[in-house]
Amino acid sequence: MKRFSEEEYHLPFFDENDYIRRICPRCGEYFWTQNPDQTLCGESNAAGCSEYKFIDNPPIRKSYSLREMREKFLSFFEKNDHERVRPYPIVARWRDDLYFTNASIIDFQPYVTEGLIPPPANPLVISQPCVRFLDVDNVGPTFGRHLTIFEMGGHHAFNSSEKEVYWKDETVRFHHEFVTEELGVKSEEVIYKEGVWSGGGNAGPDVESIINGLEVATLVFMKYKVVGGEFVELPIRTVDTGYGIERFTWLSKGSVSCFHAAYDRLLDKIFDIAGIGRVEDKILIEASRLSGMMESSRLHSKGWIWKRISERTGVDYEEVESILSPVLGAFAIADHTKCIAFLLAEGIVPSNVREGYFARLIIRRAYRILRSLSIENRIADIVDMQIDYWSNDFPHLKDMRDEIIDILLIEVEKFKRTLSRGSTLIKRKIKELKSEGAAEFPVEALIELYDSHGILPESVKDVAEKAGVRTVIPENFYGLIAERHLQPSQTSEEAVQSELDEKVKDLPETRMLYYEDPYLSDFKAKILKVLGDAVILDQTAFYPEGGGQPADHGYLEFNGGRVRVVNVEKHGKVIVHFVDGSIPEGLEVRGVIDWSRRISLMRHHTATHIINAAARHVLGEHVWQAGAQKEVDRSRLDISHYKRLSLSEVHKIERLANEIVCMNLPVEVMWAPREEAERRYGFRLYQGGVVPGREIRIVKIGDWDVEACGGTHCKSTGEVGMIKIIRTERIQDGVERLIFAAGPSALKRIQEYESKLYRISEMMEVPVEKVDRSLHNLISEFKVLRKDRENLIGKVASYEAERYLAEASVINGLKVIIKIVGDAGIDQMIKVADNIVKLEPKAVVALFKVDGNVRIIVMVGEDARRRGLRADEIVREASVKVGGGGSGRPDFAQGGGSLTNNMEEAISEIKRFIIKKIG
């Protein structure tokens, strides 16, 4: 990590207030203090520089609730000429490089911080809910220093060459005034520690405010962009501050944990549900004072803390652990269930990818902890309590209550099924590890089982150690897996710049006629450049592939000749046409669009917007577009949804979409500055993902739907024509795919279905309107016949079993039946063999059948198995002789091969094997 010189931190404020600079001999960091006797930096951290000194001794003159502290912070900066800004969502849908808002500055990156758009106010103040998952394992054990969900108070100023708002010195003065004059902390109790901050692609020096051991704020002076590990100066110097609203609340109360301060009566309810009684003050206070030093991945682990508490209180180590473990579990539940409520309220559907991965992680971790407290059945109740507790400040929680609880309960049921089948997968992995000579379950294997199958490491440990395989679960296990999934991966297209980009970068921007008039079907243009089969024009009506819409096709006509346009791409600001022939540079050409293709794509693209909004109206606000691809005769729309769509839901979506078509709503297309568009329409704009650029193109369908979109569209919904949802698919957990057709393509699909229905009615010799009833009767009759057939097979199998037993050979007291059957099917062969071993536990049955290949069924009765015979071993020996293989269980196995001429040899091998095995 880059270090900055003292000059970056040596501020007039420090000189005026008698602060002196020291280096901490324990953590090696520089800090500023008013106390000349201060040798350590005073922060309670993994290096052990201090304990918490505010526990049961708050340095703030008054006790504040979280809501009061939030308002105190916002009001102070409002009084100091900052404009209050509403918090942004916790899902960072305006970013393509991260999933969640993990700091208040994320709201303004990269567009504001890089000077591309103006900030919503300057200076501004905000209290931003944030989520972070890297330290999830520390939530609970550190008594609230780590949280997955928290509020970050930020006062931000954006300085440019045109406008200097304020910078380092004023930032520190604002902070000091807030903590000393507003909150009443003594000036000498405030230590400023030097640091370097980097995040969201930006970086800069920072000072961290430490009060009585607790870091309460980080003041970042962000002036660099991180490019390839190097710091590049930005045109905007940003004051990026982060005040921990929960931490200030904790500091004001001096309570034994931040959870007591932030959750108050809600934490009491969780303790009551978990049956956690009153814990001795001396144990909790000592644990709290030491908790700041604990980090799961560092020197001071939980075990180290337990030992220190035991030494200080005289309580046995094991008793300390048994007392505190459920308390820490309840702390984590308070945090995790709030996080669940906020994530699901913003439309995240638990899954194995992207944002959904973390929703699933936190739900499963919460469920595991609740199960350890024997209250896993109360997870929905506790989340519901969180909704009640926070909805006054965040009313969208109450609006989404039903969806939150429904999504949660379905996800819990999925997890229960995962747990029930986990044992088999774990045993299979253990067998594989033992075959490799491994004595310990590798961490990578633990992660693989969790990532691929959702199996908890604790479940693995239980099964593995019984099988003699040592299993050590890293204390930061969930942080490790979170880190692997935290940032979106780049596609190969994003990661590698096209050679063509480089070749056309100096050409003038192509005029995009398809935006000026999407109904333009032919145009004139001049050829600027020809690069093999790539042609660049000065202007074009050909739409380039993008946003899930395929490129236009058509022709370029010139001097009596023409070439076909087979693909169109956008490279930077230049549109490139790929043709199937040669054409010279400098000519004027006439472009002709394949209009039937274009209008069909326009209909399907507009229909995509209509259906997406219809799905949201029918299914709930959690629905977001997860992908789309438009085609000429049909298209697909992927939406986030937590369960399979029912036929009734599909019909409702389809009906609603067609109602919008019939209303003939206007489809308006406009360009707007990004900040204005977000202010007017919110972040629902980004249905298709992040849209780059200072200005964004908006497609608005009446009051029905509005999205940022770069595609071509009809002028009104009436032009789309009929919409027909052909089918739906579950493409991955949490994502439903709707495949649909629009306009004439929809009519074609309906007529195809109608033709099939008429053919079925003719085959059944019934009118169309009676097909369903007649088919129901036919299937019912078929089921009866199938049942009769099964009964008959059973009777025949019983008869055959008795006949085969009567003809059995006796080998050393066992009855051995080896037969070649004729026309019997495999099911009948199995029934016969099963009846034999039920009638005679000493029986060994091997039935052969030839149907192009040799099929072998082997069953071994209970008494025969006691004498060492196994069906899986017998079938393998026989199958080898016919050029194949077999497998199964000790009592039942199947096999076979292709060498039909060797069947007699296989039969002889079975007899030899039995004699050899039982002597």
Side-chain angles (χ1 to χ4, degrees), residues 199-219:
N202 299 136
D206 73 57
V207 291
E208 297 154 12
S209 169
I210 315 296
I211 300 175
N212 287 3
L214 182 65
E215 180 191 339
V216 290
T218 304
L219 315 177

Side-chain angles (χ1 to χ4, degrees), residues 784-812:
V784 170
L785 290 172
R786 186 170 62 185
K787 186 68 177 174
D788 290 344
R789 177 179 175 275
E790 288 173 358
N791 290 336
L792 184 58
I793 288 173
K795 289 177 181 178
V796 171
S798 179
Y799 169 76
E800 292 288 313
E802 291 177 1
R803 185 167 67 87
Y804 287 174
L805 263 174
E807 300 170 356
S809 302
V810 178
I811 300 177
N812 287 352

Side-chain angles (χ1 to χ4, degrees), residues 133-402:
F133 294 98
L134 283 181
D135 293 314
V136 64
D137 299 280
N138 288 320
V139 175
T142 59
F143 277 61
R145 183 162 67 93
H146 295 95
L147 303 168
T148 62
I149 184 163
F150 57 93
E151 284 188 55
M152 180 179 286
H155 62 93
H156 300 288
F158 305 93
N159 302 284
S160 66
S161 56
E162 290 81 26
K163 182 180 181 181
E164 185 75 16
V165 185
Y166 63 83
W167 192 225
K168 297 178 187 176
D169 195 64
E170 295 91 330
T171 301
V172 177
R173 289 179 192 275
F174 275 135
H175 171 270
H176 207 76
E177 183 182 343
F178 174 68
V179 297
T180 57
E181 296 183 22
E182 289 291 313
L183 299 182
V185 177
K186 295 176 182 177
S187 180
E188 61 269 23
E189 292 183 321
V190 185
I191 294 170
Y192 292 96
K193 190 174 177 182
E194 296 178 10
V196 177
W197 182 90
S198 181
N202 299 136
D206 73 57
V207 291
E208 297 154 12
S209 169
I210 315 296
I211 300 175
N212 287 3
L214 182 65
E215 180 191 339
V216 290
T218 304
L219 315 177
V220 181
F221 309 110
M222 199 169 73
K223 58 180 183 176
Y224 298 106
K225 181 177 182 177
V226 183
V227 180
E230 298 295 320
F231 285 12
V232 179
E233 287 210 23
L234 286 162
I236 303 295
R237 290 173 295 114
T238 301
V239 171
D240 168 23
T241 64
Y243 288 59
I245 302 300
E246 285 87 355
R247 291 190 183 190
F248 273 107
T249 305
W250 187 12
L251 201 68
S252 79
K253 291 180 179 290
S255 53
V256 291
S257 81
C258 184
F259 300 100
H260 286 83
Y263 291 89
D264 196 28
R265 66 182 187 279
L266 179 55
L267 184 66
D268 292 339
K269 290 179 182 178
I270 293 171
F271 271 60
D272 288 343
I273 291 170
I276 299 171
R278 188 178 180 280
V279 179
E280 282 189 67
D281 286 346
K282 66 177 182 179
I283 293 177
L284 274 180
I285 289 172
E286 288 302 329
S288 181
R289 286 173 178 161
L290 292 166
S291 64
M293 300 182 191
M294 209 219 85
E295 285 192 29
S296 60
S297 60
R298 300 291 293 277
L299 172 67
H300 299 119
S301 64
K302 245 187 313 195
W304 183 88
I305 299 291
W306 296 165
K307 185 178 178 183
R308 292 288 296 274
I309 295 167
S310 176
E311 291 170 354
R312 292 186 181 190
T313 62
V315 179
D316 288 343
Y317 178 97
E318 290 77 11
E319 189 177 349
V320 169
E321 186 174 19
S322 68
I323 289 170
L324 288 180
S325 289
V327 172
L328 303 187
F331 288 168
I333 289 303
D335 169 89
H336 289 6
T337 50
K338 178 185 178 183
C339 190
I340 290 167
F342 274 71
L343 290 176
L344 301 187
E346 290 203 7
I348 295 182
V349 174
S351 70
N352 289 328
V353 295
R354 297 180 59 85
E355 301 93 337
Y357 182 90
F358 296 93
R360 173 161 288 171
L361 183 150
I362 206 72
I363 290 171
R364 290 182 171 185
R365 191 167 193 274
Y367 186 86
R368 177 187 68 78
I369 295 169
L370 286 166
R371 193 168 63 160
S372 73
L373 297 170
S374 302
I375 53 169
E376 66 269 27
N377 62 322
R378 301 297 301 273
I379 186 168
D381 296 332
I382 298 172
V383 170
D384 199 46
M385 287 158 46
Q386 294 278 11
I387 294 169
D388 285 336
Y389 190 76
W390 298 104
S391 57
N392 284 338
D393 296 325
F394 303 96
H396 69 290
L397 293 172
K398 190 173 286 186
D399 297 339
M400 289 288 288
R401 183 194 300 268
D402 291 345

Side-chain angles (χ1 to χ4, degrees), residues 34 103 290 362 484 530 583 587 596 712 788 807 838 845 883:
Q34 290 180 318
L290 292 166
I362 206 72
R484 295 183 176 212
V530 177
I583 186 170
L587 290 181
S596 62
T712 57
D788 290 344
E807 300 170 356
K838 283 178 179 174
V845 187

